[in-house]
């Protein structure tokens, strides 16, 4: 497979970083995004990113990729403390046993996580993705997001918030639907979100061979988890280019 570009703090357990060179490389190609040292200052916003699972599987043919039964829309990739200059804090409490991932803490919401925040790569196990997201990003979020005080709340609140914004429904109302043949421009996705939700999103595309696939859509929230416009610097570094001809693959 040819080179693919990924946006954001990418990972389904950092192995995604190499999958397409990687569908989910480093948190960035959001420009020159550079991870900040542990215990950074307060971040500017929360970036909640949802992936289009059909693209994930199409772009990772070297992996066993499975979309959970009943999943018809976008799935959560991550909930990331972020800065408008495209930097981001990570592993803020990596030396503290208190912030190590504990599956027991999320047992009561695990069935929901499997559907809304799944690890699509079967061989990695369902919890490896959650462990990565919590220890890299969640332990930073709990320092400044009032509703996210612990591991359980980080996952539960992210699912609650993202569930309010059905991205597929918003896109389809604007005439942007998954299709085996129809293609779109970046502006089609952006304008649909602006029209439906009233805010500017961040879009991520992945390239392989002659195709450009819609990979992810990110929504920005303040630290009280109120939906806001994504900063122009963040949007400007998005990996969906203005002139891209984008495939939005349907469910098989």
């Amino acid at each position: 497979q040819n080179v693919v570009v990924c946006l954001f703090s990418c990972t389904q357990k950092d192995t995604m970083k190499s999958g397409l060179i990687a569908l989910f490389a480093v948190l960035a190609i959001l420009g020159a995004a550079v991870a900040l040292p542990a215990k950074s200052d307060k971040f500017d916003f929360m970036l909640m990113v949802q992936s289009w699972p059909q693209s994930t599987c199409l772009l990772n043919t070297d992996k066993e990729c499975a979309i959970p039964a009943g999943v018809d829309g976008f799935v959560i990739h991550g909930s990331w403390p972020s800065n408008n200059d495209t930097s981001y804090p990570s592993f803020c409490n990596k030396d503290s046993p208190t912030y190590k991932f504990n599956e027991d803490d999320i047992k009561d919401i695990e069935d929901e996580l499997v559907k809304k925040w799944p690890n699509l790569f079967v061989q990695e196990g369902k919890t490896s993705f959650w462990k990565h997201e919590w220890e890299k990003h969640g332990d930073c979020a709990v320092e400044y997001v009032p509703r996210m005080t612990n591991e359980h709340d980080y996952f539960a609140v992210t699912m609650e918030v993202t569930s309010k914004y059905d991205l597929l429904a918003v896109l389809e109302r604007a005439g942007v639907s998954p299709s085996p043949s129809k293609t779109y421009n970046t502006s089609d996705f952006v304008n649909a979100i602006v029209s439906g939700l009233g805010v500017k999103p961040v879009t991520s595309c992945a390239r392989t061979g002659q195709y450009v696939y819609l990979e992810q859509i990110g929504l920005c929230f303040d630290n009280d988890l109120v939906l806001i416009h994504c900063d122009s610097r963040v949007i400007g570094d998005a990996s969906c280019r203005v002139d891209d001809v984008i495939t939005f693959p349907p469910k098989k």
Side-chain angles (χ1 to χ4, degrees):
Q1 303 221 121
N2 294 331
V3 175
V4 176
V5 177
C6 172
L7 174 66
F8 306 129
S9 153
C10 306
T11 52
Q12 276 217 18
K13 188 193 174 185
D14 278 345
T15 55
M16 280 192 178
K17 294 177 183 172
S18 58
L20 340 145
I21 298 189
L23 173 72
F24 307 134
V26 293
L27 179 115
I29 301 188
L30 256 175
V34 177
L36 299 178
K39 290 294 181 184
S40 65
D41 292 333
K42 181 179 178 181
F43 47 85
D44 293 328
F45 65 96
M46 287 293 290
L47 179 61
M48 293 191 183
V49 179
Q50 298 183 57
S51 300
W52 185 242
Q54 284 73 20
S55 294
T56 301
C57 290
L58 283 171
L59 292 161
N60 285 276
T61 55
D62 59 329
K63 297 177 182 290
E64 184 181 356
C65 186
I67 300 171
V71 173
D72 296 314
F74 286 78
V75 294
I76 300 169
H77 179 180
S79 184
W80 305 322
S82 304
N83 292 309
N84 290 327
D85 65 4
T86 72
S87 64
Y88 63 98
S90 63
F91 299 107
C92 296
N93 294 284
K94 64 180 180 180
D95 297 323
S96 171
T98 303
Y99 292 90
K100 296 300 181 184
F101 177 78
N102 184 348
E103 186 180 0
D104 289 340
D105 289 347
I106 55 171
K107 277 292 185 183
D108 64 314
I109 57 172
E110 197 164 285
D111 289 345
E112 186 180 8
L113 280 165
V114 167
K115 291 185 177 181
K116 295 182 178 179
W117 201 329
N119 188 343
L120 301 175
F121 297 155
V122 176
Q123 71 273 22
E124 295 179 1
K126 65 182 179 181
T127 63
S128 61
F129 188 23
W130 304 332
K131 178 180 186 296
H132 174 88
E133 291 298 314
W134 163 248
E135 293 185 354
K136 183 174 183 180
H137 305 289
D139 74 335
C140 298
V142 296
E143 293 190 343
Y144 296 110
V145 180
R147 294 189 60 201
M148 295 180 176
T149 58
N150 52 47
E151 178 186 322
H152 179 278
D153 290 351
Y154 171 72
F155 288 105
V157 170
T158 297
M159 288 192 295
E160 176 194 326
V161 171
T162 55
S163 293
K164 295 177 181 178
Y165 307 102
D166 185 336
L167 296 182
L168 181 58
V170 170
L171 293 174
E172 289 185 325
R173 283 197 294 271
V176 181
S177 299
S179 170
S181 56
K182 187 177 180 179
T183 57
Y184 301 95
N185 297 319
T186 299
S187 61
D188 293 324
F189 294 98
V190 172
N191 291 341
I193 299 298
V194 171
S195 176
L197 300 180
V199 295
K200 296 177 182 178
V202 181
T203 56
S204 170
C205 292
R207 294 163 176 79
T208 179
Q210 62 180 324
Y211 296 101
V212 179
Y213 292 97
L214 177 72
E215 181 186 15
Q216 307 179 127
I217 294 177
L219 298 178
C220 297
F221 299 83
D222 66 20
N223 289 4
D224 292 319
L225 303 182
V226 175
L227 189 62
I228 60 174
H229 287 296
C230 294
D231 187 271
S232 59
R233 288 168 290 179
V234 179
I235 295 172
D237 282 323
S239 63
C240 291
R241 302 166 186 163
V242 173
D243 58 349
D244 275 340
V245 177
I246 301 169
T247 296
F248 189 15
K251 183 178 181 180
K252 292 184 177 180

